[in-house]
Amino acid sequence: MKRILLFIVAVVCATALYAADYANVIVPRPLSCQAVAGEFVVTPKVVVRAENEALVAAGTIFAQNLSAVLDATLAVKKLSPKSGAINLQLDKTLLTEEYKLKIAADGVWIAGGSERAVFYGLQSLLQIAAAADEVKGGVKLCGVEIADKPHFEYRGGMLDVCRHIFTVEDVKRYIDILALHKINKFHWHLTEDQGWRIEIKRYPELSEVGAYRNQTIVGRNRTSKTYDNTRYGGIFTQDQVREIVAYAADRYIDVIPEIEMPGHAIAALTTYPELGCTGGPYEVWTRWGISKDIYCAGKESTFEFIENVLSEVLELFPYKYIHIGGDEAPRDAWKKCPLCQKRIKEEGLKNEHQLQSYFMERVERWLAERGRSIIGWDEILQGGISKSATVMSWRGSKGGIAAAKLGNNVIMTPNTHCYIDYYQTSDHKANGEPLGNGRFPVTLRKTYELDPYAELNAEQQKFIKGVQVNLWTEYIATFDHVQHMLLPRIAALAETGWSYGNKDYDDFARRMHILRKLYDKQGFVYAPYFFNGIE
Ligand code: ACM
Ligand code: ZN
């Protein structure tokens, strides 16, 4: 009798599974996902039993997120596994980011190679729970066995807080969205022509002068002559930075600060004009674009300033990598500057391209002496780079391809697929997209289609460490707008980062319609176009 009953339960759940495809709802797509017999109802009484304190912390974040689905917050306790519970365990036979998730009649079992891996298992469980049927007293999870691990070790999301600034709560929310998609790097763009955004105790004037612009251009940069006549700016204090870094760490996200050099430095130069080639005066930029004024590479005081800034940055950001920019640094000022020219001669450099290499490599050496490594935009290739620099390819993939062929590590963020400040439909006007960067559309499908290995042989592919979306905020002044650009495209990027080799756009599209319910429950703002069938 019992056997027949079990069989009937299995068939009912399997049928339901089939109908709603519950076993296959997760984004990014798991490596393997098998429906199995059985079901488990998560009620408010179910306890999350975690093997250690770090897993209690991961379980607590899960319970908070699940409360948007369940209308109750599950208790999370340090307890050994037991049937009837959601059990979190380590399994040292698995890799650091690898987990197994089993839902069966006797409970939910997540085992990971590390706490980080269990955290990823919990993101999968959250997505399953949001897709599951609500039944009296809880949500009914159908039996499933998942074995999962990521393809790429670096899965990133960048946010520019310089062109527009966002609150600490906003940045945490951005991190929440990354975490849900198993993104593990937050690249935080902190210094720019239009504003300096990180408190440096040794240079308090940066927070008073560099952090503010007198006004902001209204409308399209190339054509508008209108300004809003409103002072704009702000700074993240070191306490706030620490709070955000800790928040990210709790979600197993490393934070990579970007301190731009030698270009995109007008906010710093406005504060300390003596660091520029001409001595200024400069003004924190009020429009967008590329400045011909950059840090002077001939003055020792420039490097002193940068090293002093980085000394404090290193105290705040424990992750090994520091992004030092390197993009869009025109050579105009260096060509005319006697001190820059003197440096070129004295160092035996051929030209200003090599002067930039001197600049970047000098800062890289200083960081290396302190145990850190650099990431730079693909322009750093121009005058030659050291073997240890990681290249972030943004002007398409060609910089990344060249770097991988040289044997440098690469993060693929080509604007063609990964610039999520670009419009997201093929006809932004007809589709009512807010004013944005209009170079070309980056649709959800386009982001999905990124192949980070294109044009590389097996040996060269080893240097591709991962992928990232970049969210520049010239035209993005509110956090709702940030989310509108991030979601759902971050999901497409996540699937390339996590599930490379196991991608299928049509299946992804089907799962996105399911994941959307969780976005709604979490109160995330997302772009409607894809969900309305518009590309
Ligand atoms: C960049 O978009 N300038 C890296
Ligand atoms: Zn100079």
Side-chain angles (χ1 to χ4, degrees):
M1 184 61 193
K2 206 171 156 198
R3 274 204 180 164
I4 294 171
L5 258 178
L6 252 178
F7 177 75
I8 292 169
V9 167
V11 168
V12 167
C13 214
T15 314
L17 276 172
Y18 231 94
D21 232 339
Y22 286 153
N24 189 3
V25 298
I26 298 162
V27 180
R29 193 185 207 181
L31 202 53
S32 101
C33 183
Q34 297 295 326
V36 297
E39 66 182 45
F40 182 73
V41 176
V42 180
T43 68
K45 290 214 176 82
V46 166
V47 173
V48 180
R49 300 173 67 97
E51 200 177 73
N52 64 30
E53 291 299 343
L55 289 176
V56 169
T60 303
I61 292 169
F62 164 76
Q64 283 159 1
N65 289 330
L66 187 72
S67 68
V69 174
L70 195 64
D71 257 351
T73 308
L74 301 184
V76 185
K77 296 182 178 159
K78 186 167 165 244
L79 288 169
S80 51
K82 194 174 162 190
S83 63
I86 296 172
N87 296 293
L88 311 183
Q89 294 168 273
L90 296 177
D91 175 349
K92 290 299 181 185
T93 66
L94 302 176
L95 301 172
T96 311
E97 294 199 302
E98 181 178 15
Y99 71 90
K100 288 185 175 158
L101 164 60
K102 182 176 182 197
I103 298 171
D106 64 349
V108 177
W109 309 81
I110 298 177
S114 68
E115 286 84 0
R116 172 188 291 268
V118 174
F119 183 81
Y120 296 142
L122 286 166
Q123 303 317 307
S124 294
L125 181 60
L126 177 65
Q127 294 189 13
I128 289 172
D133 279 341
E134 288 176 24
V135 293
K136 200 157 164 270
V139 288
K140 185 180 76 178
L141 311 183
C142 285
V144 68
E145 280 188 25
I146 291 168
D148 200 11
K149 62 180 178 185
H151 182 87
F152 286 107
E153 66 186 62
Y154 184 113
R155 308 174 299 278
M158 182 277 251
L159 180 64
D160 165 14
V161 296
C162 302
R163 276 54 178 264
H164 286 97
I165 188 168
F166 305 96
T167 66
V168 170
E169 287 313 307
D170 293 339
V171 177
K172 287 182 177 174
R173 196 88 169 135
Y174 190 92
I175 289 167
D176 287 342
I177 294 172
L178 300 186
L180 174 64
H181 298 87
K182 304 189 177 89
I183 298 294
N184 63 356
K185 311 291 173 200
F186 171 45
H187 169 179
W188 197 4
H189 187 78
L190 285 164
T191 70
E192 258 306 336
D193 297 316
Q194 294 84 3
W196 183 281
R197 300 279 176 250
I198 176 168
E199 179 193 23
I200 301 295
K201 303 263 190 210
R202 189 179 174 121
Y203 300 114
E205 299 85 359
L206 285 169
S207 301
E208 287 145 28
V209 179
Y212 290 89
R213 56 180 181 257
N214 290 327
Q215 54 184 352
T216 303
I217 189 169
V218 176
R220 184 156 297 294
N221 192 49
R222 284 183 203 282
T223 48
S224 173
K225 293 197 167 47
T226 309
Y227 289 81
D228 67 0
N229 206 21
T230 305
R231 191 167 150 82
Y232 182 94
I235 197 94
F236 288 94
T237 66
Q238 294 200 353
D239 282 345
Q240 290 173 327
V241 169
R242 270 189 217 96
E243 185 182 334
I244 286 168
V245 170
Y247 188 88
D250 286 346
R251 286 148 187 82
Y252 297 95
I253 292 175
D254 300 308
V255 185
I256 299 162
E258 183 180 356
I259 307 297
E260 272 268 22
M261 62 193 78
H264 288 289
I266 294 296
L269 295 185
T270 305
T271 317
Y272 304 112
E274 63 275 17
L275 301 179
C277 289
T278 63
Y282 307 98
E283 186 194 351
V284 179
W285 266 29
T286 55
R287 57 189 305 136
W288 323 123
I290 300 171
S291 162
K292 288 185 176 154
D293 287 308
I294 63 178
Y295 288 117
C296 178
K299 294 177 181 168
E300 281 306 291
S301 54
T302 297
F303 294 96
E304 258 169 54
F305 169 78
I306 285 171
E307 288 167 12
N308 288 334
V309 166
L310 287 176
S311 293
E312 295 191 29
V313 167
L314 297 190
E315 292 292 315
L316 297 168
F317 295 91
Y319 187 50
K320 183 169 180 220
Y321 285 90
I322 305 290
H323 201 306
I324 58 171
D327 60 317
E328 299 180 327
R331 316 302 188 199
D332 308 60
W334 286 359
K335 280 195 173 132
K336 290 187 223 143
C337 171
L339 289 176
C340 284
Q341 292 305 315
K342 183 161 169 265
R343 177 85 75 193
I344 288 176
K345 242 193 224 112
E346 281 176 4
E347 294 293 330
L349 307 172
K350 287 205 186 81
N351 52 34
E352 290 74 22
H353 297 319
Q354 290 197 349
L355 184 57
Q356 170 149 353
S357 298
Y358 165 86
F359 197 119
M360 305 312 275
E361 284 178 17
R362 181 166 166 175
V363 175
E364 181 183 10
R365 265 198 313 281
W366 186 90
L367 283 166
E369 283 161 15
R370 287 152 186 83
R372 304 302 184 97
S373 300
I374 65 152
I375 303 176
W377 299 110
D378 60 52
E379 284 93 332
I380 66 171
L381 283 160
Q382 208 166 9
I385 53 170
S386 75
K387 270 275 168 278
S388 45
T390 297
V391 173
M392 208 169 247
S393 188
W394 75 275
R395 296 174 300 174
S397 296
K398 60 184 188 310
I401 292 167
K405 288 182 176 170
L406 285 172
N408 282 81
N409 285 341
V410 172
I411 315 296
M412 282 294 189
T413 70
N415 58 343
T416 47
H417 299 72
C418 297
Y419 267 40
I420 55 169
D421 57 325
Y422 290 12
Y423 290 120
Q424 42 194 324
T425 71
S426 54
D427 188 343
H428 64 89
K429 282 199 185 120
N431 296 322
E433 289 197 57
L435 179 71
N437 189 324
R439 288 185 75 177
F440 46 77
V442 173
T443 61
L444 181 71
R445 185 190 292 270
K446 187 77 186 171
T447 300
Y448 195 85
E449 283 171 352
L450 172 66
D451 180 358
Y453 288 153
E455 298 179 40
L456 295 171
N457 66 30
E459 194 47 42
Q460 294 156 351
Q461 287 174 15
K462 291 186 189 141
F463 295 103
I464 307 297
K465 296 300 162 191
V467 293
Q468 176 173 293
V469 286
N470 294 335
L471 188 35
W472 304 102
T473 56
E474 286 93 335
Y475 294 102
I476 302 173
T478 69
F479 191 65
D480 276 1
H481 194 178
V482 165
Q483 293 180 76
H484 174 98
M485 304 308 266
L486 183 64
L487 288 167
R489 286 180 289 185
I490 187 65
L493 186 281
E495 194 138 314
T496 298
W498 186 279
S499 323
Y500 185 86
N502 185 23
K503 292 205 298 177
D504 172 338
Y505 184 78
D506 290 340
D507 189 65
F508 167 74
R510 178 188 62 74
R511 282 176 283 119
M512 285 309 295
H513 284 282
I514 299 168
L515 185 59
R516 175 192 193 173
K517 288 187 217 155
L518 181 55
Y519 292 170
D520 284 329
K521 286 181 172 152
Q522 302 275 81
F524 295 152
V525 176
Y526 50 85
Y529 319 109
F530 158 78
F531 297 107
N532 294 338
I534 298 166
E535 281 191 49

